[in-house]
Amino acid sequence: MNLKTLEVPLTLETERCILRAPGESRDGKIVNLAIRESLEELRPWLPFAQTLPAVEETEKNLEGARIKFLEKESFRYLIFHKNGDYIGTTSLQEIDWDIPKCEIGYWIHSSFSGKGYMTEAVQAIINLGINNIRFKRIEIRCESTNSKSRAIPERLGFELEGILRNEDLSADGSRLTDTCIYSIIT
């Protein structure tokens, strides 16, 4: 794959959502507020949600994500409802250009959970990954007890390849967890 000629759009559109790469000055405050409002729901699953980051930390994280996007190391998208509300984040990450393959990550603002927005957004980046970038393998990995996270690859036709037992630490680092590996191959 020729990374020099690969063009990955900064914005994607779905029926209800706009996905765009980080880069606007207000992004840090918006994302940080969503983390604050969703912290209790995110804490069991995500290491970054163990403590509330300062707005400046979120801004720095998003700046790094923007750089990685432009350097084609990973592709993070912020998800907004077409009415402007921030919904969450999804990304193509852990990219291996030699295969080529990637993993999808995501998290959602609690007030938008259970309404199909994340499934819609993840489908959009799957389409991008398969049709534009031409990944041969896309994975979703999640903790076996995270039923909401597992529902997304199951709805989108991913195959459960296996569950790795005692493969990772819980988000808070207190116990071993099992990891489900879902994939789509092309």
Side-chain angles (χ1 to χ4, degrees):
M1 172 165 303
N2 187 346
L3 293 181
K4 291 180 183 178
T5 60
L6 176 65
E7 292 188 33
V8 178
L10 294 172
T11 304
L12 303 172
E13 187 172 339
T14 70
E15 181 181 336
R16 300 179 293 169
C17 302
I18 301 291
L19 287 71
R20 69 164 173 77
E24 293 188 11
S25 60
R26 62 188 177 93
D27 287 347
K29 291 177 185 162
I30 292 169
V31 173
N32 189 271
L33 179 61
I35 294 168
R36 176 183 307 275
E37 293 175 349
S38 305
L39 198 62
E40 292 308 310
E41 291 83 8
L42 297 175
R43 186 173 285 137
W45 315 115
L46 298 170
F48 79 80
Q50 298 311 295
T51 59
L52 180 66
V55 172
E56 296 77 21
E57 291 174 286
T58 304
E59 289 170 345
K60 186 174 181 177
N61 179 278
L62 292 172
E63 285 173 28
R66 175 75 174 197
I67 291 167
K68 287 181 179 182
F69 193 108
L70 297 173
E71 293 178 352
K72 299 176 180 141
E73 292 178 25
S74 64
F75 304 103
R76 185 184 306 178
Y77 288 93
L78 305 181
I79 308 162
F80 292 88
H81 192 282
K82 286 185 176 176
N83 71 10
D85 291 340
Y86 175 69
I87 294 173
T89 300
T90 188
S91 60
L92 299 171
Q93 57 196 33
E94 304 297 327
I95 296 173
D96 181 339
W97 290 113
D98 292 331
I99 302 298
K101 69 176 183 173
C102 72
E103 184 179 324
I104 293 176
Y106 44 84
W107 68 268
I108 193 164
H109 186 296
S110 298
S111 64
F112 294 96
S113 183
K115 297 176 178 150
Y117 292 113
M118 190 56 70
T119 301
E120 187 175 321
V122 170
Q123 182 64 66
I125 66 167
I126 290 168
N127 293 343
L128 171 70
I130 291 172
N131 299 324
N132 297 70
I133 302 174
R134 305 270 187 229
F135 285 122
K136 300 299 180 192
R137 176 182 176 85
I138 298 177
E139 293 181 359
I140 294 178
R141 293 174 175 242
C142 54
E143 192 172 316
S144 64
T145 57
N146 189 341
S147 59
K148 288 182 178 182
S149 188
R150 289 184 68 175
I152 291 171
E154 290 169 359
R155 269 195 293 283
L156 294 173
F158 279 65
E159 180 178 330
L160 176 61
E161 291 187 340
I163 299 175
L164 303 178
R165 298 177 301 153
N166 288 348
E167 190 269 339
D168 202 358
L169 287 173
S170 59
D172 66 2
S174 68
R175 61 185 167 74
L176 291 173
T177 62
D178 299 342
T179 302
C180 296
I181 300 178
Y182 292 91
S183 73
I184 285 180
I185 59 170
T186 62

